[in-house]
């Protein structure tokens, strides 16, 4: 686990905090969280889990996608204090260098990214899609991944990668 | 000894920085953990032109956690000459200086920076800053501004003035077939997924380490040094990962200025990130109007080209692009003239965006070419071949190479172009109209002086380094492959380092010169290491390599091998031990003219592409789907076919955005962009992307650059939107001369 660097600073601001118990990548902890902090900012600034990206902060790009209780969600649209008891998985929880998740390997093999900024969100979203069990065909994957923008235009490679993993699990 | 297939130039390996990217361990500019960090949030001007009368910060300062509100009134000293703010692009004019004085030059101009202990406190407090303005009349309407278009006196470096030939006016007047019209491109914003951000680490000795989103660490280093009066030694800029840029990071952007300003003033570490909304406050692709008139014989032979374009710039700088030259270079036609002008609007200065100039000028020109092909009743592909110019028709110079004919051939075959029926509205698939269109793409093959170092340690590990950037372009992988190729080491034993102003000098990453230039520099540095290795091997008892010179050996599997007697192999480690070396480090510079490049000195250097598009149009709803693209690219030697293909895919996807989606809308009353978010500025999404096939045409070219590489970052976008627009015409019989082609224009 990366070390948390800014939690202390967060707690120091006297606007009031709410004790909130979150399980993040398997680790359960109760944190004092300010009500105006989104899950995305908590992860990035408070927990140093920077794999979750901020592309818009408005629920319009999908870069911040994480899994909450196995469902994909835009973490920029969730205030962290509303998630008491939730089980959150970020890209860091899916796999790590040396121990890649099948989606992470497939993304590497299909060159399913260029700059890599949308990538953790794409991968978490793809895992959510697989959990939903709805997408089987290329058209369905394309349609149901459309909340995740990729300005580098790696879309066709992303779909190839996702289909690979869906195929393996089918 | 059997050796594994050598991995080197031409090997389709996975991106070497891939694991960091898929695991979220790659840290981008705003993601570096720093103790005791302050957050800055930008306050933007609400008017387009005028001055600030007063700023009421009281409420903002009262927010717990807020430590400062920085404005032009209390900022520390910064440089005042234009020269101090000039960057590598050297755009003529007076560069924007954030928080300099009370003047407002464009809406969304940064006018204050709220500093707080948390991002949330800074953001909230920024909303409480009250600003009173004295507004002046502004104009953001480009269609009005073109009334005062002009040719800038001082030209931007890299600008190529068009050269007229023959008598185009007369030839057009005499031409049996004529096409003419005005073609338009709206403003577009780059919108890389990563928002502009900077983390500045303030050190006790007054030096700073800056993690910045930029395409050039050394550009930002130079800028910060000259603007803030740092010695260069005290400024280190890092950008090892950049979440896309597409040209928006060529110039230092204002968040890095603001972050360093705050760090200097407060003597603390600082992070400033733009919001997506604020991403619209700076760089954008200039709006353009291009008037094209073509004359031809009834056979389809072009007799006249008249090409005039105006693009938008700000009031304070003359941003210029090469817009009108492409068609004049590409087509064989005895009479041609062109004129390029700019027009000022009250926005931030427009900027280079992926294939600046060509993505606009060549694309719009290729729509006009399509119109002429129909006028002449010649197949659009055939029309391009009838008017094919093997030489640069504007400058009269040969190309170092131009395999566009082959690109047309291979692309057409892969697409099935021969099955196209000529008439518009003649192809259908159920209730959808089907259209097939084609276009030509063109870009410059550039090369820029670049240095690199190579360091080999006795354990067989090689590190190559260069201050270039990898903005998703694959530079890490290119450097690794070139090093592997040169010294015969497997990629796993090579580390490529980039994105650090401390590394050997490299230009800003852009214009597609990165791979050719940093690749050549890495090759030179590795060759120098190779020479040292051979010399070291001479110290081995018994001299197994004898009197061998560098031309007598090759490097393979970590060994020096005699070409004539491949069983004689000296491991690098043995050679280094014999010479008592723990490491060999060399730095080299690749400059233009080097290698066989001198032969190409007076030739034109360009990449070309042939793009074929299929669209399906629902006639009742006007919905357009791009169901197939084939892009055949002639771009010299391909270093890594895998990442190269991705670069073209990315360009094609952005070209689809240009064709169908992308447009930034100003509200002229407010002088402000209105759709400054991803909900309303539309870019292609997964559902828009169907089948895209990329073909690389064989095009050996030792004269263009030392490695024969031409670069791929831009060519994918050029002409793509034209192929789609032309396919839409073929499907619907509707000619749309202004991009993007949205539903309303189809139903109109
Ligand atoms: S950052 Fe959450 S959707 Fe864009
Ligand atoms: S890889 Fe750059 S945005 Fe998707």
């Amino acid at each position: 686990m990366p070390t948390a660097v800014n939690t202390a600073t967060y707690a120091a601001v006297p606007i009031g905090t709410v004790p909130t118990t979150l399980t993040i990548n398997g680790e359960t902890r109760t944190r004092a969280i300010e009500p105006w902090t989104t899950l995305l900012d908590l992860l990035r600034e408070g927990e140093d889990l920077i794999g979750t990206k901020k592309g818009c902060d408005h629920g319009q790009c999908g870069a911040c996608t994480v899994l909450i209780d196995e469902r994909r969600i835009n973490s920029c649209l969730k205030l962290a204090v509303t998630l008491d008891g939730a089980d959150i998985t970020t890209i860091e929880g899916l796999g790590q260098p040396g121990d890649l998740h099948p989606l992470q390997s497939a993304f590497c093999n299909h060159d399913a990214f260029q700059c890599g900024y949308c990538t953790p969100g794409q991968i978490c979203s793809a895992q959510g899609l697989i959990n939903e069990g709805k997408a089987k065909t290329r058209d369905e994957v394309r349609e149901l991944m459309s909340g995740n923008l990729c300005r580098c235009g790696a879309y066709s490679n992303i779909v190839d990668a996702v289909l690979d993993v869906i195929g393996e699990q089918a | 000894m059997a050796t594994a297939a050598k991995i080197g130039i031409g090997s389709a390996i996975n991106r070497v920085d891939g694991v960091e990217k898929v695991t979220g361990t790659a840290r981008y500019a705003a993601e570096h953990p720093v103790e005791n960090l302050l957050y800055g949030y930008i306050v933007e001007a609400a008017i387009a032109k005028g001055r600030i009368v007063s700023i009421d910060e009281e409420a903002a300062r009262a927010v717990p956690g807020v430590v400062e509100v920085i404005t032009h009134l209390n900022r520390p000293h910064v440089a005042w000459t234009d020269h101090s703010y000039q960057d590598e692009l050297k755009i003529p004019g007076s560069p924007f200086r954030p928080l300099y004085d009370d003047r407002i030059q464009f809406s969304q101009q940064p006018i204050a920076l709220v500093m707080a202990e948390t991002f949330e406190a800074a953001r909230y407090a920024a909303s409480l800053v009250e600003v009173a303005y004295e507004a002046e009349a502004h104009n953001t309407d480009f269609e009005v501004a073109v009334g005062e278009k002009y040719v800038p006196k001082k030209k931007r470096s890299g600008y190529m003035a068009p050269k007229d030939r023959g008598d185009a006016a007369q030839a057009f007047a005499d031409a049996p077939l004529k096409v003419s019209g005005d073609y338009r491109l709206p403003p577009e914003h780059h919108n890389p997924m990563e928002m502009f951000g900077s983390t500045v680490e303030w050190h006790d000795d007054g030096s700073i380490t800056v993690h910045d989103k930029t395409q050039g660490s050394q550009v930002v280093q130079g800028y910060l040094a000259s603007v803030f009066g740092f010695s260069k030694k005290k400024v280190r800029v890092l950008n090892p990962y950049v979440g896309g840029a597409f040209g928006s990071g060529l110039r230092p952007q204002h968040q890095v200025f603001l972050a360093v300003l705050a760090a200097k003033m407060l003597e603390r570490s600082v992070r400033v990130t733009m919001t997506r909304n604020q991403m619209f406050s700076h760089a954008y692709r200039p709006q353009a109007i291009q008037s094209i008139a073509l004359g031809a014989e009834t056979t389809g032979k072009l007799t006249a080209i008249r090409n005039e374009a105006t693009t938008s710039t700000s009031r304070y700088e003359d941003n210029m692009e090469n817009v009108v030259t492409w068609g004049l270079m590409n087509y064989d036609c005895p009479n041609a003239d062109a004129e390029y002008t700019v027009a000022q609007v009250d926005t931030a200065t427009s900027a280079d965006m992926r294939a600046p100039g060509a993505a606009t000028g060549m694309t719009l020109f290729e729509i006009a070419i399509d119109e002429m092909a129909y006028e002449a009743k010649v197949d659009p592909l055939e029309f391009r071949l009838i008017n094919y110019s093997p030489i640069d028709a504007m400058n009269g110079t040969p190309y170092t190479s131009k395999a566009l004919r082959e690109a047309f051939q291979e692309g057409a075959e892969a697409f099935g172009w021969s099955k196209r029926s000529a008439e518009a509205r003649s192809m259908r698939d159920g209730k959808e109209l089907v259209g097939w269109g084609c276009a030509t793409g063109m870009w410059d093959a550039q090369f820029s002086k670049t240095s690199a170092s190579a360091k080999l340690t006795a354990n067989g590990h090689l590190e190559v380094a260069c201050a270039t950037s990898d903005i998703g372009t694959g530079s890490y992988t290119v450097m690794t492959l070139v090093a592997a190729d040169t010294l015969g080491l497997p990629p796993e034993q090579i580390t490529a380092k980039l994105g650090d102003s401390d590394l050997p000098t490299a230009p800003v990453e852009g214009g597609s010169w990165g791979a050719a230039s940093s690749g050549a520099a890495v090759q030179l540095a590795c060759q120098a290491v190779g020479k040292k290795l051979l010399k070291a091997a001479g110290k081995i008892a018994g001299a197994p390599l004898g009197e061998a010179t560098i031309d007598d050996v090759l490097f393979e599997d970590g060994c020096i091998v005699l070409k004539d007697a491949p069983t004689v192999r000296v491991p690098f480690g043995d050679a280094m031990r014999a010479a008592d070396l723990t490491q060999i480090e060399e730095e080299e510079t690749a400059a233009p003219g080097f290698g066989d490049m001198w032969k190409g000195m007076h030739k034109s250097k360009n990449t070309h592409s042939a793009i074929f598009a299929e669209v399906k149009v629902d006639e009742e709803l006007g919905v357009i789907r791009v169901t197939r693209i084939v892009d055949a690219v002639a771009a010299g030697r391909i270093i890594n076919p895998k990442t190269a293909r991705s670069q073209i895919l990315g360009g094609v996807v952005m070209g689809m955005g240009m064709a169908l989606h992308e447009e930034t809308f100003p509200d002229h009353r407010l002088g402000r962009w209105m759709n400054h978010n991803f909900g309303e500025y539309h870019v292609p999404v997964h559902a828009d992307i169907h089948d895209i096939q990329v073909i690389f045409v064989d095009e050996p070219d030792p004269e263009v650059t030392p490695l024969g590489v031409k670069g791929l970052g831009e060519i994918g976008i050029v002409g793509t939107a034209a192929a789609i627009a032309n396919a839409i015409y073929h499907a619907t019989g509707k000619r749309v001369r202004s991009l993007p082609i949205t539903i309303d224009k189809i139903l109109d």
Side-chain angles (χ1 to χ4, degrees):
Chain A
M1 284 289 291
T3 44
V5 280
N6 292 318
T7 318
T9 318
Y10 265 74
V13 178
I15 69 141
T17 59
V18 180
T20 308
T21 305
L22 301 174
T23 303
I24 303 179
N25 298 332
E27 195 203 297
T28 307
R29 225 158 20 96
T30 302
R31 298 160 174 82
I33 300 173
E34 292 167 9
W36 60 8
T37 300
T38 63
L39 174 60
L40 175 59
D41 287 324
L42 176 81
L43 291 171
R44 285 170 65 81
E45 306 298 337
E47 301 288 326
D48 197 33
L49 289 169
I50 51 83
T52 307
K53 303 302 183 193
K54 187 187 275 192
C56 70
D57 227 2
H58 279 73
Q60 296 174 333
C61 78
C64 64
T65 307
V66 299
L67 297 163
I68 300 183
D69 302 324
E70 313 228 312
R71 294 184 57 207
R72 51 184 171 158
I73 197 152
N74 289 337
S75 62
C76 68
L77 293 183
K78 270 282 170 200
L79 291 170
V81 293
T82 66
L83 293 170
D84 197 38
D87 186 357
I88 297 154
T89 306
T90 70
I91 190 72
E92 291 90 345
L94 280 184
Q96 277 152 8
D99 180 23
L100 296 185
H101 181 278
L103 278 166
Q104 291 170 321
S105 305
F107 268 61
C108 286
N109 294 333
H110 286 278
D111 204 35
F113 49 88
Q114 290 196 52
C115 78
Y117 200 79
C118 73
T119 311
Q122 302 276 359
I123 291 174
C124 287
S125 188
Q127 183 58 56
L129 177 78
I130 291 171
N131 294 346
E132 289 157 20
K134 281 191 287 213
K136 296 277 177 274
T137 66
R138 174 166 281 269
D139 277 353
E140 287 164 353
V141 171
R142 292 189 310 105
E143 184 65 31
L144 295 168
M145 286 293 290
S146 282
N148 288 83
L149 304 184
C150 175
R151 189 58 163 154
C152 294
Y155 293 121
S156 52
N157 291 348
I158 295 170
V159 175
D160 287 342
V162 174
L163 283 171
D164 250 20
V165 176
I166 289 178
E168 272 163 31
Q169 296 185 346
Chain B
M1 196 169 92
T3 53
K6 179 177 165 177
I7 292 181
I9 295 174
S11 304
I13 64 166
N14 285 358
R15 213 171 273 269
V16 299
D17 49 338
V19 169
E20 285 77 7
K21 286 176 173 173
V22 297
T23 53
T25 49
R27 281 184 191 272
Y28 297 78
E31 300 177 341
H32 291 268
V34 179
E35 293 293 333
N36 223 351
L37 187 69
L38 280 180
Y39 293 82
Y41 198 94
I42 299 167
V43 179
E44 300 181 316
I47 63 166
K49 193 176 196 169
R51 52 179 289 274
I52 300 166
V53 175
S54 65
I55 301 180
D56 182 353
E57 325 160 344
E58 204 184 314
R61 286 182 184 274
V63 173
V66 169
V67 299
E68 190 54 87
V69 178
I70 309 174
T71 68
H72 66 283
L73 297 167
N74 65 350
R75 62 156 173 82
H77 175 78
V78 292
W80 58 274
T81 64
D82 287 338
H83 180 74
S84 309
Y85 290 80
Q86 217 107 48
D87 52 79
E88 223 170 83
L89 265 50
K90 297 203 171 46
I91 293 176
S94 179
F96 172 59
R97 305 173 217 182
L99 308 195
Y100 191 75
D101 54 22
D102 60 354
R103 277 185 30 188
I104 306 289
Q105 292 168 289
F106 54 93
S107 182
Q108 288 196 285
Q109 173 181 323
I111 52 171
L113 184 71
V114 178
M115 300 303 305
E117 301 287 350
T118 67
F119 168 69
E120 291 83 355
R123 177 176 59 189
Y124 175 55
S127 73
L128 302 177
V129 174
E130 290 287 338
V131 183
Y133 304 95
E134 194 176 280
E136 289 166 28
H138 64 260
N139 174 44
T140 50
D141 190 342
F142 178 64
E143 300 281 344
V144 172
V146 285
E148 290 170 37
K149 66 185 180 187
Y150 62 98
V151 180
K153 268 199 214 63
K154 191 159 180 241
K155 308 290 183 290
R156 190 185 152 179
S157 71
Y159 174 71
M160 185 198 277
K163 281 190 206 136
D164 297 351
R165 55 186 188 259
D167 185 345
Q170 191 59 50
F172 180 72
D174 297 344
L177 301 179
K178 295 190 216 306
V179 156
S180 69
D182 290 344
Y183 300 79
R184 286 178 166 79
L185 189 74
E188 294 178 344
H189 277 77
H190 305 65
N191 277 308
M193 286 306 298
E194 180 200 14
M195 302 188 287
F196 273 87
S198 308
T199 305
V200 179
E201 294 179 54
W202 177 263
H203 307 298
D204 290 340
D205 64 354
S207 67
I208 51 171
T209 306
V210 182
H211 307 271
D212 189 31
K213 177 181 177 70
T214 172
Q215 292 173 245
S217 57
Q218 290 169 332
V219 171
V220 172
Q221 179 196 32
Y223 172 83
L224 295 175
S226 90
V227 166
F228 292 104
F230 287 105
S231 95
K232 268 200 186 177
K233 283 201 286 298
K234 295 222 155 174
V235 183
R236 183 178 178 196
V237 180
L238 298 158
N239 65 333
Y241 295 101
V242 181
F246 314 111
S248 59
L250 290 169
R251 309 182 74 184
Q253 295 301 350
H254 55 249
Q255 93 291 341
V256 72
F257 175 99
L258 295 172
V260 172
L261 183 80
K264 198 178 174 196
M265 180 170 172
L266 305 171
E267 303 199 341
R268 287 197 47 186
S269 296
V270 167
R271 175 172 301 155
V272 178
T273 311
M274 291 187 195
T275 62
R276 179 55 60 186
N277 176 329
Q278 292 171 345
M279 291 288 285
F280 288 73
S281 65
H282 58 136
Y284 72 96
R285 190 194 293 281
Q287 190 166 355
I289 298 179
Q290 193 166 341
S291 306
I292 305 168
L294 301 174
E297 306 286 358
T298 49
T299 55
K301 182 77 200 73
L302 281 169
T303 54
I305 295 175
R306 311 202 71 191
N307 194 8
E308 239 184 82
T310 307
T311 57
S312 64
T313 190
S314 64
R315 298 271 181 214
Y316 53 91
E317 284 174 316
D318 285 332
N319 182 35
M320 304 176 75
E321 294 186 333
N322 293 321
V323 179
V324 293
T325 44
W326 307 99
L328 272 67
M329 289 167 75
N330 192 52
Y331 287 100
D332 180 55
C333 174
N335 306 290
D337 61 15
E339 192 187 38
Y340 172 73
T341 47
V342 299
Q344 294 182 345
V345 284
D346 289 299
T347 63
T349 305
S350 58
D352 291 345
M353 178 168 162
R354 203 167 205 164
T360 303
M362 185 71 179
T363 300
L364 298 179
F365 194 83
E366 284 294 297
I367 299 175
I369 286 287
D370 198 65
E371 291 190 43
M372 185 46 110
Y374 280 95
E375 191 67 25
K377 300 193 169 50
V378 175
D379 174 87
L381 170 55
E382 183 57 27
F383 184 87
R384 287 170 171 82
L385 295 175
I386 291 172
N387 294 290
Y388 191 87
S389 176
I391 65 161
D392 171 346
M394 183 178 84
N395 295 302
T397 43
Y399 289 103
T400 55
S401 62
K402 178 178 177 176
L404 176 60
R405 207 181 270 284
E406 292 77 2
F408 274 125
Q409 220 157 33
E410 291 180 37
E413 198 165 314
F415 189 83
W417 185 260
S418 60
K419 296 197 263 313
R420 178 177 183 273
S421 78
E423 290 299 308
R425 301 184 62 86
S426 61
M427 292 167 71
R428 267 185 183 275
D429 178 7
K431 66 181 177 62
E432 284 178 309
L433 295 165
V434 176
W436 288 4
C438 71
T440 312
M442 196 174 172
W443 182 245
D444 297 321
Q446 302 183 74
F447 186 82
S448 204
K449 186 175 164 188
T450 302
S451 303
S453 64
K455 183 168 78 185
L456 180 69
T457 41
N459 62 5
H461 187 265
L462 177 70
E463 180 185 286
V464 287
C466 168
T468 188
S469 310
D470 188 331
I471 58 175
T473 41
S475 317
Y476 282 108
T477 315
V478 162
M479 286 169 65
T480 304
L481 280 176
V482 172
D485 196 84
T486 315
L487 280 175
L489 287 168
E492 306 80 66
Q493 272 167 253
I494 300 169
T495 307
K497 278 175 70 176
L498 52 76
D500 179 348
S501 60
D502 278 357
L503 298 176
T505 311
V508 68
E509 165 106 357
S512 293
W513 56 64
S517 312
S518 58
V522 166
Q523 187 181 50
L524 277 184
C526 289
Q527 283 167 346
V529 168
K531 283 182 197 146
K532 281 268 167 77
L533 269 173
L534 181 62
K535 198 164 160 229
K539 298 251 161 57
I540 297 177
L545 298 173
E547 301 287 295
T549 67
I550 197 74
D551 298 326
D552 303 325
V553 299
L554 45 88
F555 300 96
E556 200 177 82
D557 290 337
C559 296
I560 313 173
V561 180
L562 271 186
K563 278 186 193 160
D564 290 343
T567 48
V568 181
R569 313 171 73 84
V570 172
F572 294 172
D574 291 4
M576 291 172 74
R577 264 187 299 278
D580 251 349
L581 295 170
T582 51
Q583 67 173 51
I584 300 175
E585 182 163 15
E586 294 292 321
E587 182 172 327
E588 292 288 338
T589 300
F594 156 86
D596 274 346
M597 275 180 84
W598 63 271
K599 291 186 204 154
M601 282 251 275
H602 301 291
K603 297 185 183 174
S604 295
K605 303 173 188 69
N606 291 90
T607 49
H608 294 88
S609 67
I611 311 122
F612 298 84
E614 174 185 270
V615 300
K616 294 193 175 166
V617 183
D618 181 317
E619 231 194 337
E620 280 161 26
L621 300 176
V623 174
I624 303 160
R625 299 186 303 135
V626 180
T627 45
R628 247 169 4 111
I629 297 266
V630 172
D631 192 357
V633 179
R637 192 171 182 200
I638 305 303
I639 294 185
N640 181 349
K642 197 171 204 169
T643 54
R645 177 174 170 272
S646 294
Q647 265 188 301
I648 299 301
L649 288 176
V652 168
V653 169
M654 205 175 268
M656 290 172 59
M658 177 181 262
L660 301 180
H661 310 295
E662 295 190 38
E663 176 166 16
T664 320
F665 295 98
D667 178 326
H668 296 311
R669 287 165 311 153
L670 300 172
R672 194 173 177 87
W673 305 120
M674 297 313 288
N675 55 332
H676 41 36
N677 58 70
F678 276 138
E680 294 161 289
Y681 183 93
H682 292 172
V683 300
V685 304
H686 273 288
D688 295 314
I689 307 305
H690 297 256
D691 187 12
I692 306 173
Q693 187 182 348
V694 179
I695 296 169
F696 291 113
V697 177
D698 193 36
E699 193 186 55
D701 187 345
E703 294 174 3
V704 68
T705 62
L707 293 172
V709 168
K710 286 186 170 180
L712 293 167
E714 340 279 318
I715 187 67
I717 193 173
V718 185
T720 298
I724 294 168
N726 298 342
I728 291 170
Y729 175 77
H730 184 235
T732 63
K734 192 152 233 163
R735 182 61 70 180
V736 182
R737 288 171 169 169
S738 71
L739 300 176
I741 304 177
T742 43
I743 290 174
D744 52 310
K745 295 179 189 169
I746 290 296
L747 294 180
D748 197 14

